[in-house]
Amino acid sequence: GMVVNYRINDAAKVYQNIGTDFEEIIIDPYAQEDVKAVVALYTAENLIQKRHEAKELVVETLRSRLATKEIQLVDFT
């Protein structure tokens, strides 16, 4: 499974725009989409060799997407 650690920059805005179930609406789907998109860039062989690079790309993509929703990515494992 994936673990996404995050911090909310503007709770009022998040609750107003998304609601209290923002994890199910934003965080979980974004994380799954970004992992799938990055994994698709690699062959199975390359993914094993370049897993650190792939993880960094997922983190970078997820961080910028979550930032648009007032959510700061702290860590992703």
Side-chain angles (χ1 to χ4, degrees), residues 10 16 29-30 32 45 54 60 68 76:
D10 187 338
Q16 186 178 11
Y30 277 24
Q32 289 169 15
E45 221 172 69
E60 201 176 290
T68 67
F76 176 82

Side-chain angles (χ1 to χ4, degrees), residues 8-28:
I8 297 173
N9 295 331
D10 187 338
K13 206 180 238 183
V14 170
Y15 293 142
Q16 186 178 11
N17 295 338
I18 305 161
T20 54
D21 47 356
F22 60 88
E23 272 192 25
E24 291 80 21
I25 294 172
I26 298 290
I27 296 175
D28 294 343

